Amino acid sequence: MIGHGFMGAAHSQGWRVAPRFFDLPLDPQMSVIVGRDAANVEASARKWGWAETATDWRDVISRDDIDVVDIVTPGDTHAEIAIAALEAGKHVLCEKPLANTVAEAEAMTASAESAAARGVRSMVGFTYRRVPATTFARDLVAAGRIGEVRQVRAEYLQDWLMDAESPLTWRLKKEHAGSGALGDIGAHAIDLTEYITGQRVTGVSGIIETLVKERPLLGEGHGLSGTASAERGAVTVDDVALFTGRLSSGALASFEATRFRTGRKNALRIEISGSTGAIAFDLERLNELEFYDATLPSTGLGFQRILVTEQDHPYLAPWWPTGHMLGYEHGFSNQVFDFVTAIADETAPSPSFADGLHVQRVLDAVERSSEAGSVWVSTGD
């Protein structure tokens, strides 16, 4: 695993726990964790259970005893690492968004397709697909339970940047993150909409805004981590993104991604309205799904709360008895199960790098629309 921040902890949990609950067809070993700071990466290895540490990812991907490379670094490094790993014959799991630009994502996808011809697999980590309730929502839509999809509202709401004195971390610098709320959390709203509906966003009209223009720099040389200093620097990514979209069927969608929605901590919400019903999901209540059946008599209408903890629900069989809730971290174990199974079965895992490229094109279209005054922009695929 290359990288060891927040996502490093989440992915480590996934790799460590999945073999203990799922009957995996292969036995993943947590061999090496890579980070630039030797002391920090050694502490992460001890905490999360990695056997070795390294400070140069190039040395690690050249090793014959490494089969899989898991990339959890900032977006500006994804393309270089992923392409090198694929060319070295390593299966690659890469965190979202796939890259910082469409050009980088295109190069990564081309490399992934070439590697696939040699039996090398790759997948992008849109982990919220692995929440049992979202997968069950996808199954209900695919089974026609809400009829024709007519309208979607998707939003990812956080408030962790409300304090204007919060330091200027790497996520607020375009050269490292690519974009702000749009790419960091808006990408999830886009992917989850497409995953559940089975459709793609074909065009958008949107606006993005940076609400706090500058923040305190981090101390200790102003690196990617540390404490705030007295100096200030410019925020070069968006804080809020609002956009409308059209799906491939012609259905309309509205999207919001913000890190300034006061009081909302991690509210990824999606509501899909169809001709015979509707589905609603909120990540802050991730074990639940709301389902509306419009075919019932008027006296029985209303959203039904479904507790998605039954053994027959997606991913639930290896976990706990009915009614015992899953949490955020379980999605990463479910992701490991899917990825390892695809490698063993020699099938293409999903979402693919091509799927990640499509989301990158949607993000790019939103930015271009905003720059042009919220004009309508095609996603180009």
Side-chain angles (χ1 to χ4, degrees):
M1 185 174 72
I2 303 172
H4 58 98
F6 166 40
M7 277 296 105
H11 281 235
S12 295
Q13 177 76 353
W15 288 111
R16 183 172 61 245
V17 173
R20 290 163 174 80
F21 281 83
F22 292 93
D23 293 325
L24 297 180
L26 298 170
D27 184 21
Q29 302 296 313
M30 296 171 63
S31 298
V32 188
I33 183 173
V34 184
R36 294 174 302 171
D37 184 289
N40 286 341
V41 76
E42 286 172 6
S44 296
R46 289 193 300 270
K47 185 175 183 179
W48 300 332
W50 292 88
E52 299 177 43
T53 66
T55 56
D56 190 335
W57 60 264
R58 296 169 183 84
D59 292 341
V60 174
I61 67 170
S62 67
R63 288 171 46 164
D64 292 336
D65 63 333
I66 299 298
D67 304 302
V68 173
V69 173
D70 186 356
I71 303 170
V72 295
T73 55
D76 60 318
T77 62
H78 286 186
E80 182 183 12
I81 298 172
I83 291 171
L86 290 166
E87 290 178 349
K90 314 302 181 186
H91 307 293
V92 174
L93 172 61
C94 183
E95 252 305 314
K96 63 82 229 163
L98 185 61
N100 277 5
T101 68
V102 170
E104 289 175 347
E106 288 175 339
M108 293 171 73
T109 301
S111 181
E113 291 173 349
S114 176
R118 307 189 306 272
V120 179
R121 307 301 170 189
S122 55
M123 188 173 83
V124 59
F126 282 111
T127 318
Y128 293 136
R129 290 185 176 209
R130 269 74 193 193
V131 174
T134 63
T135 301
F136 186 53
R138 187 274 313 267
D139 294 345
L140 290 175
V141 172
R145 294 294 301 278
I146 68 168
E148 175 190 353
V149 173
R150 291 175 171 171
Q151 185 176 352
V152 178
R153 179 172 183 171
E155 51 189 7
Y156 205 150
L157 315 175
Q158 298 177 342
D159 72 353
W160 64 275
L161 285 179
M162 283 299 302
D163 183 358
E165 296 305 305
S166 294
L168 189 67
T169 66
W170 70 266
R171 292 184 183 275
L172 304 179
K173 300 177 181 180
K174 191 173 182 65
E175 67 268 26
H176 295 303
S179 65
L182 175 62
D184 183 23
I185 55 180
H188 278 303
I190 295 164
D191 180 74
L192 201 57
T193 294
E194 297 188 333
Y195 173 65
I196 295 176
T197 64
Q199 302 183 34
R200 286 201 159 187
V201 178
T202 60
V204 297
S205 173
I207 185 170
I208 62 176
E209 182 65 47
T210 304
L211 301 183
V212 175
K213 310 295 185 185
E214 63 176 25
R215 292 179 177 272
L217 295 175
L218 289 168
E220 301 178 9
H222 309 324
L224 295 183
S225 62
T227 57
S229 73
E231 299 179 68
R232 304 183 75 85
V235 176
T236 52
V237 298
D238 59 280
D239 291 325
V240 178
L242 303 168
F243 58 102
T244 55
R246 189 176 295 278
L247 303 183
S248 48
S249 68
L252 297 176
S254 63
F255 297 88
E256 177 180 356
T258 176
R259 300 189 287 212
F260 276 76
R261 184 67 81 85
T262 307
R264 300 300 179 189
K265 304 306 175 184
N266 201 38
L268 172 56
R269 299 172 170 178
I270 182 167
E271 184 166 327
I272 303 170
S273 301
S275 57
T276 61
I279 287 174
F281 169 78
D282 186 339
L283 184 63
E284 291 184 344
R285 300 189 305 173
L286 60 76
N287 291 279
E288 300 178 20
L289 194 65
E290 291 185 274
F291 175 67
Y292 184 93
D293 186 352
T295 67
L296 294 175
S298 60
T299 52
L301 293 177
F303 273 95
Q304 169 192 355
R305 172 181 174 265
I306 300 174
L307 191 62
V308 187
T309 63
E310 297 291 337
Q311 296 290 292
D312 292 335
H313 281 132
Y315 297 108
L316 265 300
W319 293 108
W320 312 115
T322 297
H324 292 72
M325 307 302 183
L326 298 192
Y328 171 77
E329 74 278 5
H330 291 84
F332 294 91
S333 295
N334 296 340
Q335 177 173 259
V336 166
F337 166 73
D338 284 341
F339 189 45
V340 170
T341 301
I343 292 172
D345 292 347
E346 299 183 349
T347 58
S350 178
S352 65
F353 275 23
D355 295 326
L357 168 59
H358 166 73
V359 172
Q360 202 75 45
R361 286 174 172 156
V362 176
L363 300 176
D364 179 71
V366 174
E367 289 191 333
R368 288 187 287 121
S369 174
S370 182
E371 290 170 359
S374 301
V375 299
W376 192 261
V377 176
S378 170
T379 59
D381 65 347

